[in-house]
Amino acid sequence: MKLKALVIPTLMALGLAVAGQASAQEKLTVWWVKGFYKAEDEALFAAIKKFEEKHKGVKVELSQYPVQDMIPKTVSALDSGSPPDVAYADVYDFQVTGKWAFDGKLEDISSVIGPMASRFAPNTVETTFLYNDQTKSKAYYAFPIKQQTMHINYWMDMLAEAGFKESDIPTTWKEYWSFWCEKVQPASRQKSGKRTFGMGMPMGVDSSDSFYSFLTFADAYNVKMVSDSGKLLVDDPGVRAGLIGAMTDYVTPYQKGCTPPSSTSWKDPDNNVAFHNKTTVMTHNATISLPAKWLDDSNNASLTPEQREEAKKNYFERIRTAGFPSKPDGSKMVYRTAVKTGVVFKDGKNKQRAKEFVTFLMQEENLTPYVEGSLGRWFPVTKAGQASPFWQADSHRKSVFNQYAAGTVTFEFTKNYRFTILNNENVWAKAMNRVVSDKVPVDKAVDEMIERIKTVAR
């Protein structure tokens, strides 16, 4: 009995000690988008492990969600007053970061970003310097992780089968789009006997590809909808004329039957699917995920050797990554970049540790493997990352590198956060569909679009 009386308190004391250690372990809650490739996630896991080893007693509680779930889940957490400490999604920049900053929902992380600002390439870190309407001032309210821009991809073997060489592709604006529609498509159908389409033109209201592609066409017409201070410029007759020109060129392939009829309801993966199925000869896409899919397949041990070899040929021999033709005025295209942003929430429970985590993750030895893990799908935001040999390793990455080396412009939402709302609504694709589905004249559809822009973004 005496022994039992001694054992029970001892066990209880041990239990309390263990419980005390468990409760003493600090928790950092991180929500992160699920990677497109295994290598992306593995690089993130490795950085988290290193952080935990450096900060003994800190446990990073990581939750990963598909890109389409990240914003709804984060908004729900914000509304309930229990957001994660750190969060990142590929679409935050397009749709929510600027608005969250304006509404005072983000933590000022200038103490993190300021000391490393010189490491970043032009038009990257500037996009995270955002206005807070609570403080009536700007500060760094997000951290830049990686960036994307618009590319052209086409099947070289389909082009050759249609009887054309790459040197036959025009470099001038009108002639370029006409070539794929009026020359390549009929020749491809005649030679292959299949109902192939010359182009894939994303036009779905639920597609970020559709608004990114359209806004690139607007850039070709030198449209500037917002001043650097965020003031709307859409009442300028020149802006209206440019938008009408861009919209006309964007919807013409559909009207001529040169993009699949389903283009009007495409979601983001659908132009990829059409391209991989060789339903389309060419498409534009805001990353090089099209060729990178085949590079990933070429290293996929679950595929047969024959499938891996076929994928390798697709990546290295059959698919080309290229830039856009010259603008309608004959000048060279300058591409808009979307800088992908992560955030620390003002209502997070462990903001100081969150800032330490962001500082750690942004170190070159952690950030570069994460960006390169996407196989070229995302481009670095740091000068050192861009100088990596990775970007000279093959023709696809070199093409991306060259597009960025020529300089970039930023999205409207970096100057006027209300454009995130317009992108959420996808006023651009709605205007396209007014033309092709409702048979509304282009100028009327553009005028409706301008009115909506003015209503939302004034």
Side-chain angles (χ1 to χ4, degrees):
M1 288 294 288
K2 234 180 189 183
L3 183 63
K4 189 175 178 184
L6 284 170
V7 168
I8 291 173
T10 304
L11 287 174
M12 286 174 68
L14 282 170
L16 287 169
V18 171
Q21 286 170 9
S23 63
Q25 188 171 52
E26 193 181 333
K27 188 174 76 173
L28 181 68
T29 306
V30 176
W31 288 10
W32 210 267
V33 74
K34 185 82 182 71
F36 207 73
Y37 303 109
K38 186 182 175 189
E40 279 178 280
D41 286 340
E42 287 178 345
L44 176 66
F45 301 156
I48 287 172
K49 186 180 177 187
K50 279 166 61 180
F51 179 81
E52 289 177 333
E53 287 169 354
K54 183 179 177 183
H55 298 272
K56 301 294 184 189
V58 177
K59 173 66 180 170
V60 176
E61 195 172 80
L62 174 69
S63 298
Q64 286 188 285
Y65 303 105
V67 67
Q68 65 271 19
D69 294 341
M70 280 296 295
I71 290 177
K73 282 186 176 294
T74 315
V75 168
S76 178
L78 277 168
D79 289 346
S80 68
S82 57
D85 298 309
V86 181
Y88 168 77
D90 298 338
V91 288
Y92 278 175
D93 64 313
F94 282 142
Q95 296 171 278
V96 288
T97 302
K99 187 174 189 316
W100 285 341
F102 185 88
D103 292 342
K105 293 182 178 178
L106 302 181
E107 179 73 2
D108 179 347
I109 56 169
S110 299
S111 61
V112 173
I113 301 300
M116 63 175 77
S118 62
R119 289 175 44 210
F120 295 100
N123 284 341
T124 56
V125 72
E126 298 91 325
T127 68
T128 65
F129 195 68
L130 300 166
Y131 181 75
N132 181 336
D133 198 46
Q134 311 287 310
T135 64
K136 307 295 181 188
S137 62
K138 283 186 160 190
Y140 288 112
Y141 283 106
F143 53 96
I145 287 281
K146 53 199 182 187
Q147 56 186 327
Q148 65 182 130
T149 195
M150 186 60 60
H151 316 285
I152 298 283
N153 287 117
Y154 55 85
W155 286 103
M156 290 188 282
D157 56 330
M158 291 182 77
L159 186 67
E161 184 187 41
F164 297 99
K165 304 184 294 295
E166 286 190 276
S167 58
D168 294 325
I169 303 172
T171 58
T172 49
W173 184 261
K174 296 279 189 185
E175 291 75 14
Y176 181 88
W177 306 108
S178 176
F179 171 76
W180 298 102
C181 181
E182 291 162 26
K183 292 187 177 178
V184 174
Q185 178 169 302
S188 176
R189 289 183 174 188
Q190 185 183 1
K191 296 285 175 61
S192 68
K194 296 174 183 172
R195 190 166 172 256
T196 51
F197 291 87
M199 296 186 241
M201 302 288 288
M203 301 173 77
V205 173
D206 295 326
S207 163
S208 66
D209 283 334
S210 60
F211 72 67
Y212 206 143
S213 286
F214 172 75
L215 290 169
T216 305
F217 273 57
D219 290 339
Y221 276 86
N222 301 312
V223 170
K224 190 174 181 182
M225 288 180 270
V226 183
S227 72
D228 290 343
S229 63
K231 183 186 173 189
L232 276 188
L233 305 174
V234 290
D235 281 331
D236 182 337
V239 171
R240 177 180 181 269
L243 287 170
I244 288 171
M247 185 63 71
T248 300
D249 291 351
Y250 202 91
V251 300
T252 293
Y254 186 94
Q255 292 170 325
K256 290 186 173 180
C258 295
T259 185
S262 59
S263 302
T264 52
S265 57
W266 276 357
K267 292 182 169 60
D268 281 341
D270 294 323
N271 66 319
N272 295 48
V273 171
F275 185 82
H276 293 320
N277 291 341
K278 293 195 164 182
T279 303
T280 57
V281 184
M282 179 272 281
T283 194
H284 25 90
N285 203 45
T287 68
I288 58 166
S289 61
L290 293 166
K293 180 257 192 227
W294 297 106
L295 179 62
D296 192 42
D297 281 359
S298 72
N299 297 308
N300 187 340
S302 67
L303 298 178
T304 66
E306 292 77 19
Q307 288 172 321
R308 291 200 298 274
E309 185 58 31
E310 189 73 5
K312 189 176 178 182
K313 282 184 178 173
N314 284 343
Y315 184 78
F316 287 103
E317 299 172 25
R318 294 175 182 146
I319 298 173
R320 174 73 74 223
T321 296
F324 271 54
S326 300
K327 295 179 180 182
D329 66 6
S331 62
K332 290 288 182 193
M333 193 71 191
V334 179
Y335 300 89
R336 61 171 57 210
T337 186
V339 178
K340 308 288 104 180
T341 52
V343 296
V344 173
F345 289 106
K346 192 175 181 183
D347 289 343
K349 294 179 176 62
N350 201 348
K351 290 186 287 191
Q352 187 51 45
R353 197 67 81 179
K355 291 176 186 177
E356 289 176 13
F357 178 77
V358 172
T359 303
F360 184 82
L361 187 67
M362 295 300 289
Q363 290 172 8
E364 214 64 57
E365 62 267 27
N366 300 320
L367 186 60
T368 294
Y370 175 70
V371 176
E372 293 183 359
S374 67
L375 308 182
R377 187 169 179 250
W378 306 106
F379 194 66
V381 289
T382 62
K383 296 168 190 171
Q386 293 179 7
S388 166
F390 178 90
W391 294 100
Q392 304 301 321
D394 60 56
S395 64
H396 300 290
R397 295 176 198 167
K398 281 182 185 176
S399 183
V400 176
F401 178 88
N402 291 336
Q403 283 182 250
Y404 270 98
T408 59
V409 292
T410 54
F411 273 78
E412 294 80 9
F413 60 72
T414 64
K415 303 176 181 77
N416 182 330
Y417 84 90
R418 294 176 180 88
F419 273 79
T420 60
I421 300 166
L422 294 164
N423 290 340
N424 264 329
E425 291 182 12
N426 209 337
V427 294
W428 330 103
K430 284 179 178 174
M432 295 171 205
N433 281 270
R434 285 286 282 154
V435 177
V436 300
S437 301
D438 300 341
K439 311 303 179 192
V440 168
V442 169
D443 58 349
K444 184 172 188 288
V446 167
D447 285 339
E448 292 173 356
M449 184 173 78
I450 287 173
E451 282 307 308
R452 184 59 187 159
I453 292 169
K454 286 160 68 173
T455 299
V456 171
R458 273 256 190 261

